[in-house]
Amino acid sequence: MKRFRRHGQESQRDRLKQELYQFNKTVEHGFPHQPSALGYSPTLQLLAIGTCSGAIKLYGAPGVEFMGLHDENAAVSQIHFLPHQVELVTLLDDNSLHMWTLRAHTGLSELLEIGRFTLTGPPGAPPSVTRVTAVLAHSSGELLLLGTEGGHVFIVQVPGFRELEERNISLAEVANSVPDDNLGHRNLEHVEALQENPANPNHVAIGYGRGLIIIWDLEKRCAIQHFLATQQLESVWWTEDRGYILSSHSDGSYCRWTFGEENGNDVEKSDIPYGHFPCKAISKIIQLHTKEGTPFLLFSGGMPRASFGDRHCITVIHNKTHVALDFTSRIIDFFVIKDGQLNSGGPSALVVLVEEELVVIDLRAEGWPVIQTPYLVPLHSSAITCSHHVSAIPLKLWERILAAGEQQKTNYSKKPWPITGGQNLAPHPPQRDLLLTGHEDGTVRFWDASGVCLYPMYKLSTAGVFHTDTETNDNHQGAEGEWPPFRKVGSFDPYSDDPRLGIQKIHLCKYSGYLALAGTAGQVLMLEVNDEAAEQTVETKVVDLLLGQEGFRWKGHTRLDVQEEPVLYEPGFQPFSLVQCQPPAVVTALSLHSEWKLVAYGTSHGFGLFDYQQKMNVFIKCTLNPSDHLAMEGPLSRVKSIKKSLRHSFRRIRHSRVSLRKQHVNNTAKLQEANAHLEAELSKTELAPIQRKVEARSSDDSFTGLVRILYFADTFLSDSSHNTPSLWAGTNGGCVYAIILRLPSVEHRTDEPITAHPEKEIQLMHRAPVVGLIVLDGHGSPLPEPLEVAHDLACSPDTQGAHHLVVVSEEQFKVFTLPKVSAKMKLKLTAIDGSRIRRVGVAWFGSSQSEHYGESGLVVLTNQGDLHVVSLPGVKLQVRFPCIRKEDVSGIASCVFTKHGQGFYLISPSEFERFSLSTRCLVEPRCLVEVPLDLGASIQGVKKLDGYLSALSETSQEFQNSDSSARCVMEHALLNDEEVLQEIQKSLEGDHV
Amino acid sequence: MNKNHRVPSSRSLSAVEVKSKFGAEFRRFSLDRSKPGRFDEFYGLLQHVHRIPNVDLLVGYADVHGDLLPINNDDNYHKAISTASPLLRLFLQRKEEADYTTFGTDSLTRKKNTVLSAVLLRPDPNRKKPPVIISLPRDFRPVSSIIDVDILPETHRRVRLYKHGQEKPLGFYIRDGSSVRVTPQGLEKVPAIFISRMVPGGLAESTGLLAVNDEVLEVNGIEVAGKSLDQVTDMMIANSHNLIITVKPANQRNNVVRGGGTASGSSGRSSDSGASYYGYSSSAGLSASTSMPSHIIQNFPVGELESDEDDEDLVIEAGGDIEPISRTPSNYSMPPLPRYEPHLNLRASASPSPLPVNGTVLGCGSSGSLNKPGSSTPSPDRAARRRSLEEDGTVVAVIFDHQRALKSKNCESVPAQIQENILLQPQLRGT
C-alpha cells in the first residue's frame, strides 16, 4: 500500500516536472560566425545569410528571423531567392544545390528544406564539367541557370530540380554561334557570371572567366552578341534601362559595353578607377539609375595593390560624390535596396555583408550615414570577456539607460530600418531584461534582451578612467584631397588598446542604478547612473590583499594608472569610486549589495570588502597559500604550460585535419590519401598517450586561494535568534569563509564605520572549488536580492524558521544548517557521472498549467555541457538536458542564466545562443512571411475556400494579374464566378453521394 | 616469517638520538645507527633507562609522516632506526593499559568514530570474548583490500584504496585505449580506460593490486564505459577518499580463484617460494568469507572502513577551535550497522560445519553464487547494490602494509602485501 502511494507521488512529481521544465534552444543573437554568402529578395524584403558551417539565416523586419541548417557540413557559397516566390536556392561548397521554402504552419512560417540536387555530367566526364560556379535564378521563377567550371550552362526547372537537357547551353553551341576569329578555346573556360536582361528575360549574359561575354537568347538558342575583354572577368552587370553591360576585371578595371547595336562588339568605355599603379580586382560592380538621372556606380575592390591592397573597400560614386567605404573586415557581398513598391525607384540603402558585421548605409541622406542595425549586431566588436543578465528592469532605469544610449547614436541615420519583410507575431515581452557584456577593451555594452532581437541600448567605456598608451588616433578621414577618399565604416574593432582594461565581472543593481565593474588588472569600479554629463575625479583606493606579507614577487602586469584630473563623463553610468587590488591580479569574484552600500571583490590572493558610501575599506582577507607560487606570481609564470598545451592541441588539430582531409577523396588524390593515412598513423604513434593523474586534491594545489564566489546574506550566523548581515566567500580550495558585518543605523550610515569580523570557516573535505553559495530562508526559498523587498517586489524572507546554507562545489551540492554549521543533505554529481559543475544560478520556474504555482531551483551547467535543474531545498536532480558540446569550452564558460530559467551562451565569438529551461518563459521568434501578393493573390483567395483548392487553381490563374490590394473584392469575384460555384457545388454533391 | 637482517647501509655512520617518553617522563639516549642490535636488546634497554624492569611495554614511535607506529619486532625496530632523522621519538605504554586505537593514521581525529562503531557493531555475543591477538592488529595499517570476490567474475578485481588522511599520494595515471569485448555480433573493439603509470611509492603501487595496463571497468560501482578520460579522472578524484576501482588486470595470473582445489597452487602461478602461501591467499576470499571476517571486524572498526571522509568538513568557529562537522541525525538514514551482518550471518551459519581444510570447502566453494544469497547483496535490485557499493563493499580480504618495514624486504615476485596477508592467516586458521 505504501509502495503504491509512493508510486503515485512519483508520477505526480513527474507530471509536475513536465509542467515546470522544458528545454528549447530558441534564438541565436548576434552576428553569424564566418558568413560566406548573402542573398536578398526585394519582393519578400528578406535578407539571407549563409555561413561556412552550412547554416542559413533569414532576416526581415526586427523580430522576423528564420534559421536553417544544411545536413552537409559545407559552406554556403551562394544564395538566390527565386524571384517573386518564397523559395530560395543555396549552393554549397560541395556542389550541391538546395531548395528552401518558407511554409506557413498554424499561422507561423517556418523555413524548410524541400529539395536537393547535384548536377550529374555525362559518364566519364571530369568533375569540373558539373562544378557550379555561377547561378542565375531566372525572373520567370521557374528556371535556374547553372554555369559550371567546364564552361557549360545547365538549365534546371524549379522547384523540383528537373534538368532540361535539351535547353542546356553547351560550350560547342556557344563556339558555333560566335565567329571564331577572336575566339580560341582558351576564352571559354569557366562561367564567371550569369546576368539576365532586365528588359527582356530571354536574353542572358554569360561571362566566361577569360573575358568573353556572350549574350544568349534562350528562345532562339543562339548567341546574339559577344564582347571580348582583354582581362580576366570578375563580374557582369546589366543596367536596367539603356541596355549597357558593365564588366569588372581582375586588374581593377571595369568596361561598359553597349547591348543591341549591330556589330557593337567593341568596348565603349574602359576605366581603372584607382589607376596608374597596379590595382586589385573589382569583384563586383553595380550601376543603378535614379530619377534625377545621374546613376549610382558601386563596386567593391579595385584598390591600388601596393599602398591600399589590404583595405576592404566598396566605392560609391554619385554625381560628384566619390567615397571609398573602408571596412574593418573582408567584404563577402553587397546589394542595394531600391525605393518604391516594385523596387523601381532609385537606390535608397546599401547593404554590405563583411566578415564580422552587417553595415547598412543610407544612400538618401546627406553624407551617406550608417543606419543602426536592429539585429545582426556584432557582439564581438571587441572580444566578450564576461556577461551578466538582469531580469525585470524597472521602467525608470530602463528609460534612463535608453536616453543615455540615444545620445550616443547621433552619427546614425534617422531612416527607419529598410528591410521590413514578414510580420513579427511574437507577443510583447512581459518584462524588460538587460544583458550586459563586458569586453576586452574595457567597455560594457547594454543589450535589450527582452525579445528576439538583441538590440544595443547603450555602451559604457571605462578606458577614460585610466591613462592608456593609445590616445585618439582615428578620424583621419577628414584629410582633404586624400586619394582614394576613404571613409571608415563599421564598428568591428577587435584590437584592444590595453588588455588590462578588460572587464571580468559585472554586477548591476537594477533598483538603485549602481553598477560595479571589475577588470583584469584588479580594478573594481563603482558607477552610478546620471542623466547629465558631469566632470568627475574618481576616488581611488589601493588595497593590499596580501596584508603586507613579505617574500612574494608579482610577475604579472602592473596596475592601471588612474587619471588624476577630473574627466568629463557623458550621460549614463559615471564612475565615482575605484579600488585597485594589489597585486593587480584579475578579479575573479564580485558582489554588490546596494542596500548596505557595500561591494566585495576577490582575486587569486584574497578578498576585500569596500564601503562605497564612506569610500572606506572595511575588511581584507588573504586566502593565498604561502607556498602557492603559481597564484602568487601571476599569469606570466603560466606561459610555459600554455605553450605546452598549445603545442599539444596543434598536434591534435593537425591530426584531425588529416582525418578530415580524408573525407574529400577524389580520383586524383589516391596517393595523397595514402600519404595522409601514413601521416595520421605516424602522428598517432608520435603522440604520447594522453594520460591523467589520479590524485586527491590537497591544500598544496595551486590556486586554492582563488576566490570563486562572493555572496551577501542577511541570516543567522552566530546565533539562532538574531539575523545579521554577513558576507560569504568560497575559494578554489573548497573553503568557505563567513564574515559577520555590523552596520550602523541608517541615520549614522555616513559617519560611523562598518565593522566586519570573521565568524566561521568551512573547509570542505573534498576540496573541490566552491562555485555557488546560497542561503535559504525558513521556507526553503533563496533570500531575495538587496532592495527587492524594499521595492515591494519580493516578500521578505522568513526569519522564523531555520536558515540553511547551500554550498555548491564543482563536485557536489551540500546543505548545511545555520547558525551551527552541520551537514544536512548532499547531492554528489562528479562521483556519480564524472561531470563537474561549471556554472550555477538560481531560477524560478513557473508551472505552465497553474498560474500560481512555481518553484525555485538551481540551474547548473556541467563541463560535459549538460544542464541540470536541482530542486531547493531538497537538492534533488530534477531534469537533465544536453545543451552544449563538451568540447566547446568557451561556450560553457560563457554561459549566463536568467532568473526565470533562460540562459545565454556563446556559440561563436559573435553569437549568443539563447535557451530556455522553463515552460513559461520562452523568447522565440514567431513570425509569418506571406506569399508575395502580386503572384500569390490567387492562392490566397483559394486558401479561404479550404479544401477545394486544387480544382480551383487553374480557374484562378486568370486573376493572377489582378490588383492584389483588393483581395476581398477578388474573393467576392471568386465566389461569384459561376464556374467556380459550379465546381464547388459538384464537389459538395460528390461528398454527399 | 623469514627474517631478513638486512642492515640499512646508507647514512649509517651517525648515531641516532632517541627520546623516549613513558608517562610523563622522558629519557634521552643514543644508538649507533649502523649497529642497532636486536629488538629484545632494545626492549631491555628501554626498560632499563626508564627503570621499569618488570613492566610489559608497548613501544611506539613517531614516523616521518607523524604517524604513531609500533615497534615490536626486529624489522620494525630497524625500520624505525633507519628512518629516524635525526631524532627517534618513542612512546611507551604499559601493555595492559595500552590503547591500540592510537596507532595508525590520524589517530586523534578518528578516535570517536572507532569507539562508537565498535560498540554499536557487535550485537554478537562472541565479542565479549577477548579479541584474539594476531601479532598486534594495530601494527597494521589497511592500505587496500580486494572486495566482492564472491560476486565478480574471476577475471575482474575490485580494489579498495584506503586514502584516509595520509599523505601518501594515490599515485597512478590513467589513459585512453581500446579493449576487445565479446558481443552477440562477435568481437568488438571499444574505447576503454587503462592504468598507464604508477608513481613509485604511491598508494596504488604499494598495494600491489593494481598495475600498468589494467583496464578500469568501474569506479565506486559505476561503470566507466562510455565516459571520457576526463570524466573518469574526475570521478576518481571525487571518490579519492574511498576509491573502489574494478579492474580487469593485465596480468590474469594472480587472480583470486574461487572454489576448491586452488590450494594446490596449480592455477598457473609462479612457482617460487611463495607458492605454497598462494594457496592460502587464493582461498583467502573464501576462507575470509567464512571464518575471517569477525576478526577483521574486530581489528578494523567499521568506522574506519567507511567513506565518511568527505562528510568531515572542518568548521572553524570564530573562537578558533576546529571541529569536524557532525551529521545532523535527522536526515541520514543509512546506519552502517546492517552492512556487516552478512558476514556475521555467514559466519554463524558456517561455524557449525568444520573449517575447510586446505581451502576445499563445503559446497559454497564451487562458485561465488552461493555466497551471494547469504545476503552479501541483500537486495537483487541493482540500484540498491550500486549504492551499497558506493558506500562500502563486502570486505573479503584486507591487506596490510606492515608499517612499511616489511615492504622494504619483499621478494621480487611476490607482492609483499599478499605475503603479509598470509602472515595473518595461519593464526586465524588456528582459532
Side-chain angles (χ1 to χ4, degrees), chain A residues 681 684, chain B residues 175-194 215 225-226 248:
Chain A
E681 289 294 308
K684 237 182 237 167
Chain B
R175 64 166 169 91
D176 278 320
S178 61
S179 167
V180 176
R181 291 276 146 75
V182 184
T183 65
Q185 289 78 39
L187 294 180
E188 193 188 14
K189 223 174 175 189
V190 289
I193 307 286
F194 294 89
E215 181 184 348
K248 187 177 164 198

Side-chain angles (χ1 to χ4, degrees), chain A residues 689-697 700 717 757-767 811-812 814 816-817 819-826 828 830-836 863-864 886, chain B residues 163 169-176 196-197 222 227-231 233-241 243 309-318 323 325-328 330-332 390:
Chain A
I690 311 149
Q691 53 176 4
R692 296 276 183 274
K693 189 176 186 178
V694 177
E695 206 45 78
R697 290 192 186 79
D700 295 332
L717 191 49
H757 65 266
E759 175 69 24
K760 283 187 166 69
E761 205 178 305
I762 307 167
Q763 174 62 57
L764 299 177
M765 210 57 185
H766 63 286
R767 292 187 184 277
E811 291 186 351
Q812 53 179 261
K814 210 154 184 182
F816 294 94
T817 56
K820 172 148 174 50
V821 177
S822 56
K824 195 178 172 201
M825 277 175 282
K826 72 175 167 188
K828 287 186 182 180
T830 314
I832 307 303
D833 71 354
S835 60
R836 300 170 58 160
N863 67 341
Q864 301 297 312
K886 69 178 177 209
Chain B
K163 173 79 174 125
L170 285 172
F172 65 101
Y173 290 70
I174 56 174
R175 64 166 169 91
D176 278 320
S196 65
R197 185 149 90 85
I222 293 162
K227 292 197 162 59
S228 70
L229 181 65
D230 287 333
Q231 268 175 293
T233 311
D234 287 339
M235 282 169 72
M236 287 186 175
I237 291 172
N239 287 308
S240 59
H241 288 282
L243 184 58
E309 269 86 351
D310 57 5
D311 276 336
E312 293 183 0
D313 305 327
L314 287 179
V315 175
I316 301 170
E317 297 283 344
E323 51 165 303
I325 293 182
S326 57
R327 292 164 157 187
T328 46
S330 63
N331 225 287
Y332 276 90
E390 241 174 88

Side-chain angles (χ1 to χ4, degrees), chain A residues 242-290:
Chain A
R242 296 189 11 230
Y244 286 118
I245 289 170
L246 293 176
S247 63
S248 70
H249 301 277
S250 60
D251 64 339
S253 67
Y254 69 90
C255 303
R256 190 163 69 176
W257 318 83
T258 319
F259 167 66
E261 282 175 34
E262 291 299 311
N263 303 322
N265 293 350
D266 295 328
V267 66
E268 190 203 299
K269 182 193 170 193
S270 175
D271 186 20
I272 304 180
Y274 298 110
H276 303 307
F277 296 110
C279 290
K280 296 192 84 173
I282 293 179
S283 54
K284 182 174 179 178
I285 188 159
I286 284 182
Q287 185 174 336
L288 295 165
H289 285 262
T290 57

Side-chain angles (χ1 to χ4, degrees), chain A residues 734-766:
Chain A
C735 196
V736 176
Y737 300 91
I739 286 117
I740 277 203
L741 309 176
R742 302 223 185 283
L743 300 168
S745 55
V746 181
E747 54 268 30
H748 294 295
R749 177 65 182 83
T750 47
D751 43 22
E752 277 181 28
I754 294 178
T755 58
H757 65 266
E759 175 69 24
K760 283 187 166 69
E761 205 178 305
I762 307 167
Q763 174 62 57
L764 299 177
M765 210 57 185
H766 63 286

